[in-house]
Structure formats: C-alpha cells, structure tokens
Amino acid sequence: MAAKRKRGALAAGKAKRARSAPSAGEAAPEGGPRDGSIPPQEYSIPPPVSQGKWKNKERVLIFSSRGINFRTRHLMQDLRTLMPHSKADTKMDRKDQLFVINEVCEMKNCNKCIFFEAKKKQDLYMWLSNTPQGPSAKFLVQNVHTLAELKMTGNCLRGSRPLLSFDPIFDREPHYALLKELFIQIFGTPQYHPKSQPFVDHVFTFTVTDERIWFRNYQIIEEDASLVEIGPRFVLNLIKIFQGSFGGPTLYENPHYQSPNMHRRLIRLSVAAKFREKQQVKEVQKIKKKGTKVLVEEDPTEVVFETPAEEKPVEIQLVKPESKPIVKDKKKLRKIQRKKQKKLFRTEG
C-alpha cells in the first residue's frame, strides 16, 4: 500500500529543483558564476593526480603456464601489485607453443611480457620479452620469497613509481647492458601513468653476484634516507638471450649455467659414491679379520715358569653304578627314599 504524500511535499520538491538550477533570468548568488552554471563550491570535481601527459605507454603482460605452485602464483600477484602498468591473463596450456604469446600480447595491447613457465612441478623459468620484435631472455628463478612470506617491516604506497638501481657490472658486459635496458622498460613505471602515484618511495635493485642477478625491493625512509626491505625477492640465473620474441637466433648463452636436472643428478651420484665408499670400507675390514694371524715364535724360557701337575692314579670302576631315578617331583622322591629305608630295616631285623 503506497504511503500518502503530504500536500506540500510536491511543491517543496519543485522549489528545491528550481533552487539547485536557477534559470537564465535569475541573478546568480554572490561569489558564484553569473552565466547560470552550477556553483563550483558544491559540484566541483577534483583534478587528476597526474597533471602531465602519458606519453610512454608501456604495458606489461604478466601471466604463467599451467602447473605452477602456490609460491609462483603469489610472486606473480606481487609483481602485478608493484607494477601498475601491468595486465593479467589466464594461464596458458602446456601444449601451446611459446610464440603464441606474441598474439596474446597483441590482443591485450601489451608490448612487454613476463611469462612464468613451470616444469616438473618444481622448476620455475621466467621469460622477459619485448613483443613482437624481440629480444627476449630466459631465466631460471631460484630462492623465491613473496610479500606474505617475508613479513618485512617496510611498506610503500601502492602504485608509486620505483627507482631502479643496477650493479656497475651492467655497464661493462654487453649482455648485461642488454638486460639492463630490458629491465628498465619492463619494471620502470611510465611517468604520468593513470594508475600510478606521483611519489618515489621504493627502489628495485638488480645486483650481480655468483653469476646470478639478485632482485630486491626496498622502501626509502624519509627521515634518514635509509632502506628497509619490503619484498618480494628472487634470484635470476640467466640461461639464454634470443634475438626474437620467445625464440630466434641465440645472442648469448651462459657458460656457467647448470640445469636443475644435472644438479639433481650430481647430488644423487655423490650420495651413491659415499654409500659405495662405506661398503668398500666394510669389505676391507672383513678381509682383515679373516686373514691368517702371524704366529709369534715360541720362547724357550717359558718352560721355566711351568709347574707340572700331580699325576693321579687311574681308578677302574668294575661295578656298574646305580641308576638314580629321575623324579621331578620332590614329594615322590622323598617317598621313594622312605621305602628304601624301610626295606633296609626289615632286612637287618
């Protein structure tokens, strides 16, 4: 049942509408615009955060293949959080070839790609590519720690643009110089990006140690400009650099790279060698125990300390000894002894 309206409600509503939008003939209030527009104090829209023009339109597609574990999924989500210029897509089937990713990037309007490839449910590979012309690099990802796992004390504004810090070795070697440019274009947030914030409060560091690239994320504290680690962190072991996107001629191949299968095989061989060594030691000890012992020559002076034992005369027993009854029960044995004694008394009497 509809509620009854008051008599003055309709008139009041019309009056409110008339006040909010004055006609052209009415005079505008003091301090407001005189052209009949809405006062800016009540209906003004705040300006955008980035006043400049977004020129460097880099878009990065971050996705993975099927078969990744939970840690890789969390790492991928952390990179999407830290990079406001990134896009996501569904997982790619293992049967598909890698060059299909170029078409996916074209459909998503992305010119850079970070692709995580999982193999044997334990090995993780990362592809960094400039689609569709190239170049591209393939890495083995090791020592992965995510934001939720590290529980660091650092924190930064979501969507803020990072500083990129590189090791000096990136300017000496040509393959590292190529990777540096690739990292700058992928991990650097474009200026005046619509989803970015105009603040610089964290740093991405790329350090080369032990022929591997170590990635770290630090927060810049304003008070003393010290660094506090935020996460995530991981280590990239370079495998190959290709001229094209996800394939093509090989520009560089890491001579220090060792595949995970070979590493696991060497570990198994070392364990087997230790076991074989233990078995050989046991066999040698058994042979030593079974070997003939070297007898020491007899000492002629030992006869002096020998004392001959007394010779006892040999006694020859002519009568067969009486057989003793084997009785387990002691009571029966006593009864038998009593019967024997009674017989002796009767014979004597």
Side-chain angles (χ1 to χ4, degrees), residues 141-177:
V141 186
Q142 299 171 329
N143 302 333
V144 177
H145 297 279
T146 58
L147 279 169
E149 184 182 354
L150 288 175
K151 297 181 180 177
M152 296 292 184
T153 55
N155 192 8
C156 66
L157 182 66
R158 181 168 183 172
S160 59
R161 300 179 64 228
L163 291 174
L164 300 181
S165 175
F166 291 92
D167 197 277
I169 198 172
F170 278 94
D171 298 326
R172 301 173 194 164
E173 302 291 337
H175 61 281
Y176 281 132

Side-chain angles (χ1 to χ4, degrees), residues 261-274:
N261 293 332
M262 181 61 67
H263 180 66
R264 287 190 287 267
R265 181 174 177 272
L266 292 176
I267 290 175
R268 287 196 302 270
L269 290 176
S270 64
V271 173
K274 287 181 181 178

Side-chain angles (χ1 to χ4, degrees), residues 71-292:
R71 187 167 293 169
T72 307
R73 187 173 66 252
H74 287 207
L75 174 64
M76 190 168 54
Q77 189 61 38
D78 293 344
L79 291 178
R80 288 172 183 167
T81 305
L82 293 172
M83 299 164 63
H85 61 293
S86 63
K87 289 187 177 183
D89 195 22
T90 56
K91 295 179 181 178
M92 195 179 74
D93 197 358
R94 293 180 183 177
K95 297 178 182 179
D96 296 338
Q97 299 295 328
L98 291 178
F99 61 83
V100 180
I101 301 175
N102 297 325
E103 300 177 5
V104 178
C105 292
E106 186 178 356
M107 289 182 348
K108 288 283 184 178
N109 195 19
C110 296
N111 50 5
K112 300 291 185 295
C113 180
I114 299 178
F115 178 67
F116 292 96
E117 185 180 7
K119 290 184 179 180
K120 293 188 176 181
K121 296 184 179 180
Q122 54 184 346
D123 302 331
L124 178 63
Y125 297 92
M126 178 193 285
W127 286 84
L128 300 180
S129 176
N130 179 22
T131 57
Q133 291 86 12
S136 59
K138 185 180 181 181
F139 301 90
L140 174 68
V141 186
Q142 299 171 329
N143 302 333
V144 177
H145 297 279
T146 58
L147 279 169
E149 184 182 354
L150 288 175
K151 297 181 180 177
M152 296 292 184
T153 55
N155 192 8
C156 66
L157 182 66
R158 181 168 183 172
S160 59
R161 300 179 64 228
L163 291 174
L164 300 181
S165 175
F166 291 92
D167 197 277
I169 198 172
F170 278 94
D171 298 326
R172 301 173 194 164
E173 302 291 337
H175 61 281
Y176 281 132
L178 178 61
L179 291 177
K180 178 181 177 180
E181 185 64 29
L182 200 60
F183 287 144
I184 289 173
Q185 294 183 15
I186 290 177
F187 289 95
T189 303
Q191 192 176 13
Y192 304 124
H193 191 276
K195 293 183 180 179
S196 66
Q197 300 290 340
F199 302 102
V200 178
D201 58 354
H202 63 112
V203 186
F204 289 162
T205 62
F206 298 89
T207 310
V208 178
T209 306
D210 193 20
E211 304 296 335
R212 291 170 174 82
I213 300 172
W214 300 62
F215 175 85
R216 295 289 184 271
N217 181 20
Y218 296 97
Q219 179 199 358
I220 304 172
I221 300 177
E222 296 180 0
E223 288 78 8
D224 52 353
S226 60
L227 300 177
V228 180
E229 188 172 357
I230 304 172
R233 58 159 68 173
F234 51 88
V235 179
L236 299 176
N237 191 0
L238 178 63
I239 302 174
K240 285 183 180 181
I241 300 176
F242 299 95
Q243 185 176 354
S245 178
F246 295 98
T250 303
L251 297 178
Y252 176 78
E253 185 175 358
N254 187 8
H256 306 283
Y257 171 71
Q258 187 182 60
S259 65
N261 293 332
M262 181 61 67
H263 180 66
R264 287 190 287 267
R265 181 174 177 272
L266 292 176
I267 290 175
R268 287 196 302 270
L269 290 176
S270 64
V271 173
K274 287 181 181 178
F275 179 74
R276 267 193 246 104
E277 187 178 355
K278 287 183 180 179
Q279 292 297 112
Q280 290 175 359
V281 170
K282 287 182 180 179
E283 290 177 1
V284 170
Q285 289 177 352
K286 285 181 181 179
I287 293 170
K288 285 183 179 179
K289 287 180 181 178
K290 290 180 180 179
T292 55

